[in-house]
Amino acid sequence: MILALVLIFIAQTPADAPAKPAPRIEDVGERRVFEEAQRALEADESLLSLHRGMRAFLRADDGLRQAEESYDAMMEISSLRERVEDFEEVLIADGAARTDYQRFAARAQRDPALRDAMDGLGAIETETRPGARELSRSFAYLRAHPETAIPFLMRREQGGSGPADLRPLVDAIRSDVTLQHRLREVWTRLDALAGAREAVYPWWARAYGGGTAAAKRFLVLDAALARFPSLRRAWEGRELAWATRPEAVAWRDYVYARVRRDPALGPVYFGYLHTLRTHPEVEKYTEDAFAAKHGAPLAWPPQGTPPRLPVWTRPESITRPGEPVNPDAPSLDEPSLDRPERPTINRPTSPNRPVAPERAQKPVAP
């Protein structure tokens, strides 16, 4: 009986049945961005394969997928995206910085006590208080020189001697007696953990204490994230989630680096991911179409290390499809249109006013 039903079903679904229509994207701008990205991916078969492989990899791990979707949404903010991309590029170029950073993220991911201690320190540092910008220099100095933090915070009286970068913190401690005790407590708790000395302090020394490209890019990103606590959580959550897949992190960064080197795909890729994220039916239809044409996604991440990439220079300006473009002002050297001169109308002159005749003179008496 079951076999008969299967045969009937096969007979009713011929191979040449009409294809299911594509889901419609109602927003015109969103649809244009999606179509631009589709064409760019189809034009680069190797990048399309990497994109599809990473998407399949994420679908197989729900926690990792959610963390990456939060990152993708954050990257739709163009100003923040620039900071993130600059930091990612410097980690691609600087192998030692990448090693320190990945060791830091991996240790923080598997050590809850270490994360709690760092969160406690960050909570104190981000409190709103007068002179916040100057205080950030002091906090960065302590992170870059953790061996000086506890001795500095143990002083009964904060005198005038010491590094100039600590002067704002000295002034803040004088006006807030509890600040010194709170900082000393959290630094003592952090310093007691082996993970701090093994993984956190080496990265902090590199990120907060040097004039390297990695330090400069990280500090700019760190300052940008400090203004948006929810985005900082999204960034940190994504890094912790990927720390459980160390074999895939370099290939993850390689995919995004390839995307931004593509002049057609780079400006629209995160808008494209937004559509896939918010329209599951579009993502399913798109992947089915790719599979019909190119086969199933290849295993991801690929074996080995990613190929070297050419140096990337950020485009000066990016115009998204559908975005209004301001017309350029004409150059002084370009020919200009001669406007016709206004015709001159000869108006008739007013007639002269008649002159009154002279009054007759009275005759003079003889």
Side-chain angles (χ1 to χ4, degrees), residues 17 26 46 63 71 94 97 111 118 137 163 244 268 270:
E26 297 297 334
S46 67
Y71 167 84
D94 188 340
D111 192 337
M118 288 191 293
R137 293 203 333 265
T244 63
V268 296
F270 288 100

Side-chain angles (χ1 to χ4, degrees), residues 188-310:
T188 302
R189 182 154 50 96
L190 176 63
D191 194 66
L193 300 171
R197 292 182 296 278
E198 293 171 3
V200 176
Y201 292 169
W203 167 246
W204 280 0
R206 181 182 295 277
Y208 294 97
T212 63
K216 293 176 182 177
R217 298 300 189 190
F218 175 77
L219 290 178
V220 171
L221 173 60
D222 192 51
L225 292 173
R227 298 193 296 270
F228 306 101
S230 62
L231 297 182
R232 177 183 285 281
R233 288 193 296 271
W235 162 261
E236 293 175 347
R238 184 235 192 184
E239 296 303 301
L240 294 178
W242 279 97
T244 63
R245 302 296 186 94
E247 77 286 356
V249 172
W251 281 101
R252 173 205 71 183
D253 293 344
Y254 178 77
V255 172
Y256 287 115
R258 282 281 302 274
V259 165
R260 57 180 166 264
R261 281 165 173 76
D262 187 312
L265 186 58
V268 296
Y269 187 65
F270 288 100
Y272 176 69
L273 294 182
H274 172 86
T275 300
L276 298 183
R277 184 173 66 252
T278 56
H279 299 280
E281 72 283 0
V282 173
E283 179 173 28
K284 183 179 185 309
Y285 180 89
T286 302
E287 176 51 37
D288 290 345
F290 282 147
K293 184 175 181 180
H294 303 283
L298 298 179
W300 194 93
Q303 296 294 323
T305 57
R308 293 184 63 85
L309 288 165

Side-chain angles (χ1 to χ4, degrees), residues 307-361:
R308 293 184 63 85
L309 288 165
V311 176
W312 176 69
T313 302
R314 178 179 302 284
E316 291 185 3
S317 62
I318 297 174
T319 302
R320 293 169 60 100
E323 187 175 0
V325 180
N326 294 326
D328 295 332
S331 170
L332 295 178
D333 298 330
E334 295 177 356
S336 58
L337 295 177
D338 295 330
R339 296 179 179 274
E341 295 182 359
R342 179 177 296 179
T344 303
I345 301 175
N346 295 323
R347 299 179 180 276
T349 58
S350 302
N352 293 329
R353 190 172 182 180
V355 178
E358 295 182 2
R359 182 177 295 181
Q361 295 289 329

